Amino acid sequence: DAGVIQSPRHEVTEMGQEVTLRCKPISGHNSLFWYRQTMMRGLELLIYFNNNVPIDDSGMPEDRFSAKMPNASFSTLKIQPSEPRDSAVYFCASKQGASEKLFFGSGTQLSVL
Amino acid sequence: KNEVEQSPQNLTAQEGEFITINCSYSVGISALHWLQQHPGGGIVSLFMLSSGKKKHGRLIATINIQEKHSSLHITASHPRDSAVYICAVTGNQFYFGTGTSLTVIP
């Protein structure tokens, strides 16, 4: 299995632009998580899905952030409009079942200028 | 107030030493995760545990639910163990520790 696949690996954009981050979970995994990591705040959970349904989005910082999971093999995290303070590494992770380990993607390094 | 506290923040050890990283939490949890983040940024989940002890190679993780405490042990440490180790707990929400930066010197 190729593992959790995220794209792009790096994204540099200007303030105000829309940014879309993509994630393909491991086949058969039914839970998907989006995290953000910054030097100041460390790792934070943004949102997670169970069976494609958003379960907890309390970590989504504000209305500029939205996440979708249209099917079991694909999820997006969108920021519109982007701001410099959104600069971070965004990780996607997936797992199968309630008692299994998380598998992380390689992350997307986002820089908003 | 941090729901998850890790100690130490930074740790330097000589190759071969036995290493312990501690994690204390203040919330009710259903599971605790130990994560390893390599210098390149990639994150690997080492353990998920809700009771007792788990072992994988030179790594051992223990959890005491009553004391709300977990430890990650590395036996016969090696320079390739150099990484940031992050404790995370899941309950009503996900909470992360700030990580322990480990450097193992040859």
Side-chain angles (χ1 to χ4, degrees):
Chain A
D1 199 312
V4 176
I5 300 172
Q6 288 187 248
S7 64
R9 285 298 306 273
H10 303 275
E11 176 82 34
V12 181
T13 191
E14 292 187 343
M15 179 175 159
Q17 296 296 307
E18 177 180 297
V19 175
T20 299
L21 311 182
R22 295 173 178 80
C23 176
K24 177 176 165 50
I26 292 174
S27 177
H29 284 192
N30 63 347
S31 295
L32 182 140
F33 302 77
W34 281 102
Y35 300 93
R36 177 172 69 175
Q37 186 177 38
T38 61
M39 288 293 292
M40 291 295 293
R41 300 170 68 94
L43 263 172
E44 303 171 279
L45 175 67
L46 299 177
I47 185 171
Y48 79 92
F49 296 84
N50 259 7
N51 297 316
N52 312 340
V53 176
I55 301 300
D56 182 357
D57 65 354
S58 59
M60 296 284 263
E62 48 198 272
D63 292 344
R64 298 184 297 107
F65 285 68
S66 62
K68 292 183 180 178
M69 192 163 186
N71 56 61
S73 58
F74 184 66
S75 177
T76 59
L77 177 68
K78 186 175 292 187
I79 308 172
Q80 166 63 18
S82 57
E83 296 183 4
R85 63 192 165 121
D86 302 330
S87 298
V89 180
Y90 291 81
F91 288 99
C92 175
S94 70
K95 71 184 180 80
Q96 181 182 38
S99 59
E100 298 298 321
K101 282 170 43 173
L102 287 164
F103 291 81
F104 283 80
S106 301
T108 294
Q109 173 81 58
L110 173 65
S111 298
V112 183
L113 307 176
Chain B
K1 170 182 172 295
N2 292 329
E3 289 80 2
V4 180
E5 299 275 359
Q6 283 185 240
S7 64
Q9 275 194 307
N10 297 285
L11 181 56
T12 300
Q14 291 287 332
E15 183 173 355
E17 283 186 13
F18 180 84
I19 288 163
T20 296
I21 300 171
N22 295 299
C23 174
S24 296
Y25 54 91
S26 58
V27 294
I29 70 168
S30 55
L32 182 143
H33 301 258
W34 280 103
L35 311 175
Q36 179 192 52
Q37 186 166 30
H38 291 283
I43 298 177
V44 174
S45 177
L46 299 174
F47 295 103
M48 195 195 86
L49 62 166
S50 54
S51 66
K53 174 179 169 179
K54 286 189 177 179
K55 184 175 189 292
H56 185 256
R58 296 180 294 106
L59 302 178
I60 303 167
T62 64
I63 187 169
N64 184 317
I65 297 295
Q66 286 72 31
E67 294 184 3
K68 295 189 173 182
H69 180 268
S70 175
S71 293
L72 176 68
H73 306 285
I74 305 175
T75 60
S77 60
H78 190 277
R80 64 175 175 265
D81 298 326
S82 299
V84 175
Y85 293 83
I86 301 169
C87 172
V89 299
T90 56
N92 291 333
Q93 294 186 44
F94 244 99
Y95 298 100
F96 292 91
T98 53
T100 294
S101 179
L102 171 66
T103 302
V104 181
I105 300 170

